[in-house]
Amino acid sequence: MKNSINDMALFIKIVENGSLTRTAIALDMSLSAVSRHLKELEQRLDVCLIIRHAQQFKMTNEGTIYYQNAKAIMKSIDELEEEVRGKGVLRGNLKISTTHGFGKKHMAPLLAKFSKMHPELRISLSLLNNLSFMGDSIDIALMVNPPKNDNYVMDVVLKDNYVIVASPDYLQRTPEINTPSDLLKHHCLCLNNDRIIMNKWSFYLDGYENNVQVQPYLLTDSGETLRDWALAGEGVAYKLSWDLVDDINTGRLIQCLPHLKTEQLELCIVYRKQRNQPARIREMIKFLKANILNSLS
């Protein structure tokens, strides 16, 4: 078993260095020793893992499979040793991703608080205007209505509805909004996510759906920019309420058609299905579930 683990570690180094010579230099080994270990590994597995000639260094299909699985195994070993050695102290790297507006306003303060609780943990927050998938380097993502994927767990932490809002100044100088069809007379501020213009605004009354196809006056892929335009009196915005609670409560924005039910979306904590989830990921998920709702109030 020990030799197998050492062989995996060496093979990973060979692949990532891109040559036997560079690997030998990096590990302070002789080139012949590196070559011998690789040859013995291939003989034991009875496959060729790397095609190596004077002008060629390329993994075979079997080599790619071995590398990917060896990488995962070595990562699990590192995480196990880290967790046991830590005895309750969270260490290592934790990468989290979410949308720009939600991350800046709600996630950043929560992660700062969690970091103070676990000072030996290195937390990285990646903010994107649109987050429609979870990259391989991300440990946890906060996503709205994530696409179904059997390789991931998707825990719903919040359900939120869209609201129609505009500034008092804008509403004073434009026609009244009493029905969804009145929106067709207004400057409508729309999101443009993944090249899809979100200009179909949905309402529900007496169990029936009423969709209004508005004409975009201004388009953006940023929820923050959409809010800024609404505050500046540029038009009417259709946006999830969690970003607008303070603006509505203070009167900076007025909710239009509040008696009508609108489309509802789910905010999910997304993470990979994994038998032995590292403690830092488990604890962060637990922390987010306990604190996200409070951060929105």
Side-chain angles (χ1 to χ4, degrees), residues 161-166 183 187-191 198-204 209-212 214 223 226-227 230 235-241 244 256-257 260-265:
N161 289 82
Y162 281 95
V163 290
I164 303 289
V165 294
L183 293 166
H187 289 173
C188 292
L189 313 173
C190 298
L191 282 171
M198 299 176 64
N199 65 329
K200 187 179 80 170
W201 296 0
S202 300
F203 303 88
Y204 301 87
E209 182 178 2
N210 181 11
N211 295 321
V212 177
V214 301
L226 196 74
R227 171 180 171 268
V236 183
Y238 183 75
K239 199 173 187 308
L240 289 169
S241 69
L244 305 173
C256 307
L257 306 175
L260 294 181
K261 185 178 179 182
T262 55
E263 183 180 0
Q264 185 180 80
L265 298 184

Side-chain angles (χ1 to χ4, degrees), residues 167-236:
S167 70
D169 171 66
Y170 176 84
L171 293 175
Q172 284 178 359
R173 54 185 166 83
T174 55
E176 289 187 2
I177 302 175
N178 296 313
T179 67
S181 60
D182 290 336
L183 293 166
L184 299 175
K185 308 170 189 174
H186 285 263
H187 289 173
C188 292
L189 313 173
C190 298
L191 282 171
N192 183 14
N193 287 340
D194 294 330
R195 300 180 182 179
I196 298 174
I197 298 175
M198 299 176 64
N199 65 329
K200 187 179 80 170
W201 296 0
S202 300
F203 303 88
Y204 301 87
L205 183 62
D206 298 329
Y208 292 96
E209 182 178 2
N210 181 11
N211 295 321
V212 177
Q213 193 93 12
V214 301
Q215 182 64 35
Y217 174 68
L218 289 171
L219 280 167
T220 179
D221 63 357
S222 166
E224 276 192 303
T225 300
L226 196 74
R227 171 180 171 268
D228 290 342
W229 282 340
L231 288 169
E234 297 296 341
V236 183

